[in-house]
Amino acid sequence: MIRWSHAALNCRDLDATEEFYRRHFGFTRSNDFKVDDTRIVFIRLGEEYLELFATPDTTGQERGQAENDGSARVGTVRHLAFQVDDVDGFLAGLGPDAEVSLGPLDFHAFIPGWRSVWIRDPDGIIVEVSQGYHEH
């Protein structure tokens, strides 16, 4: 049997990234340890995990690399995605942490009630937040 395990994120400021996902998405810390000199934190939402790596930015790449709904570069994650009941209410709750990269957009023509917005986390990773998506 195969089950989803986790997504791993490289973080310039691990504590800021953890706080962002805890405060706005409801994750809780499940583990915190060091492997050699690298701090790793697992955070959990239900049965889903994000693995956060404290990673110094040595690439010289700027935060704005991912645009709109995420990177179109082959071999990279385009974005993370979460479902909420109310996109506008979620954005209001983000307050000053709401760095919107695209939207909100209405996809009612495809699925009635489907709306999405894309935001940046503290490390510039694009996070899609949707309401109303379902299979038809």
Side-chain angles (χ1 to χ4, degrees):
M1 175 171 84
I2 297 175
R3 294 185 334 214
W4 173 259
S5 177
H6 66 272
L9 306 177
N10 292 317
C11 309
R12 279 185 210 92
D13 182 338
L14 190 148
D15 294 325
T17 300
E18 178 183 8
E19 178 61 20
F20 178 83
Y21 286 100
R22 288 177 62 172
R23 182 178 337 135
H24 300 300
F25 293 92
F27 279 83
T28 58
R29 181 181 290 179
S30 65
N31 219 327
D32 184 352
F33 53 89
K34 274 191 148 183
V35 175
D36 297 323
D37 290 331
T38 302
R39 182 172 169 221
I40 300 170
V41 171
F42 276 87
I43 56 177
R44 175 183 184 163
L45 180 63
E47 296 298 316
E48 311 305 324
Y49 292 89
L50 290 177
E51 181 181 17
L52 310 177
F53 285 80
T55 307
D57 186 7
T58 58
T59 64
Q61 297 174 342
E62 292 301 316
R63 177 179 174 164
Q65 186 111 15
E67 296 296 330
N68 300 323
D69 70 336
S71 173
R73 193 170 133 214
V74 172
T76 64
V77 173
R78 188 173 191 98
H79 59 252
L80 302 176
F82 296 90
Q83 290 283 326
V84 299
D85 293 330
D86 175 16
V87 165
D88 294 323
F90 180 83
L91 281 175
L94 282 175
D97 291 335
E99 188 179 337
V100 175
S101 62
L102 180 64
L105 299 179
D106 183 348
F107 298 104
H108 184 78
F110 305 102
I111 297 174
W114 180 20
R115 294 184 70 228
S116 294
V117 65
W118 291 262
I119 60 174
R120 293 181 192 280
D121 81 359
D123 294 298
I125 293 171
I126 302 298
V127 179
E128 176 185 354
V129 179
S130 294
Q131 73 182 46
Y133 176 83
H134 58 87
E135 292 183 15
H136 62 289

